[in-house]
Amino acid sequence: MEYNTNRPQLHMPEYGRIIQQLVERCKELATKEQRNEMAVAIVDFMGQRNPQLRDEENYKHKLWDHLFILSNYDLDVDSPYPFPTVEELNEKPKKMEYPKLQGDFKFYGKSILQLIEKAIELEAGDEKDALIQVIANNMKKSYNVYNKEHVQDEVIFRHLKDLSENRLDLTGLDSLEKSKIYYASGRTNKNNGRTNQNQAQNSQNKRRNFHNNKNRK
């Protein structure tokens, strides 16, 4: 009985020993035409054995690369794609650059920085003012989640000014309640309060009338 530990090491175990043996047989063929024909058949077989690769982009290119790896980078065939070198495959991927947030303001997140850049690009007017106020309100929410304490509006204004490099300035406001957004939400809350109060009063009047009518009977 032959154990796998006594057999040649598989270059890509996911393809199994049968495909590895086919590749070795392909290398031994005498003519290039024979090797080309068998290489195409092996690539098709590899695609059948690993159908999940079909969902990937340029999967045929990947299969030919795998064929070359299975041959231990030693296969004289005409490939439709350039074969990779050992150096290319062993090259480490470039370090991914993460967005750099300024100093102590990392808790605001990248989206806040993007909104700030958008606000800076806008021309002066109501749209720009509204966006700046939206940014300040979201900054306050983020700060409260991070700090777990109530934050003064003047702190948010100072942070906004620093993050925008002095190009967005709300320091002239006493508080965020002075913004149009807060006025609008305040009116909504007041109207909702009046509506709820009226509904409660109507319900109370209906109950009173029901009891009065019942007593007359």
Side-chain angles (χ1 to χ4, degrees):
M1 182 175 182
E2 186 179 8
Y3 293 96
N4 285 335
T5 52
N6 297 328
R7 295 178 178 179
Q9 184 177 1
L10 295 177
H11 299 301
M12 298 189 72
E14 58 267 33
Y15 285 107
R17 192 164 297 278
I18 293 177
I19 291 180
Q20 177 80 56
Q21 291 172 340
L22 289 174
V23 174
E24 294 299 327
R25 173 59 183 155
C26 181
K27 292 168 62 175
E28 296 172 356
L29 293 177
T31 66
K32 194 170 188 178
E33 289 73 18
Q34 291 176 321
R35 292 194 297 272
N36 287 339
E37 184 178 353
M38 187 168 184
V40 171
I42 293 173
V43 168
D44 289 340
F45 187 38
M46 290 166 63
Q48 295 173 13
R49 292 287 297 269
N50 295 271
Q52 71 278 4
L53 290 176
R54 297 174 185 267
D55 298 330
E56 299 184 18
E57 187 178 359
N58 298 325
Y59 85 98
K60 276 285 188 181
H61 191 172
K62 181 171 290 188
L63 287 174
W64 278 95
D65 286 349
H66 291 176
L67 174 67
F68 194 55
I69 296 170
L70 287 167
S71 71
N72 200 21
Y73 310 96
D74 180 23
L75 183 61
D76 184 17
V77 294
D78 294 326
S79 168
Y81 310 97
F83 281 138
T85 64
V86 179
E87 291 74 22
E88 288 174 346
L89 293 175
N90 291 334
E91 183 180 357
K92 293 183 179 180
K94 294 181 180 179
K95 186 177 181 181
M96 180 180 248
E97 293 294 334
Y98 286 90
K100 295 180 181 178
L101 300 177
Q102 298 188 26
D104 299 329
F105 302 141
K106 295 180 180 179
F107 50 87
Y108 286 128
K110 185 179 179 181
S111 59
I112 289 293
L113 293 182
Q114 293 173 334
L115 286 173
I116 288 174
E117 290 300 322
K118 179 64 177 176
I120 291 171
E121 295 172 0
L122 291 176
E123 296 182 0
D126 292 341
E127 184 180 1
K128 182 168 186 172
D129 293 340
L131 180 55
I132 294 173
Q133 292 159 8
V134 167
I135 293 170
N137 286 319
N138 279 282
M139 288 174 64
K140 187 171 183 178
K141 293 176 183 177
S142 297
Y143 191 98
N144 284 331
V145 170
Y146 167 76
N147 206 40
K148 301 297 183 182
E149 294 181 4
H150 181 70
V151 58
Q152 298 296 324
D153 291 344
E154 60 183 20
V155 175
I156 300 299
F157 298 156
R158 189 169 65 251
H159 289 179
L160 176 61
K161 189 175 181 180
D162 291 341
L163 285 169
S164 65
E165 297 179 350
N166 299 325
R167 288 175 289 181
L168 301 179
D169 191 357
L170 288 179
T171 53
L173 284 177
D174 294 333
S175 66
L176 283 172
E177 280 85 10
K178 302 289 180 160
S179 71
K180 297 177 183 178
I181 293 175
Y182 267 81
Y183 275 136
S185 62
R187 285 197 298 271
T188 301
N189 290 336
K190 287 180 181 179
N191 291 335
N192 289 339
R194 292 194 191 98
T195 301
N196 293 336
Q197 186 177 4
N198 292 335
Q199 289 176 347
Q201 186 66 41
N202 290 336
S203 297
Q204 188 176 0
N205 290 337
K206 287 181 181 179
R207 286 197 299 271
R208 187 182 296 112
N209 292 334
F210 173 78
H211 288 299
N212 289 337
N213 293 333
K214 187 176 181 181
N215 291 334
R216 288 195 189 100
K217 293 179 181 181

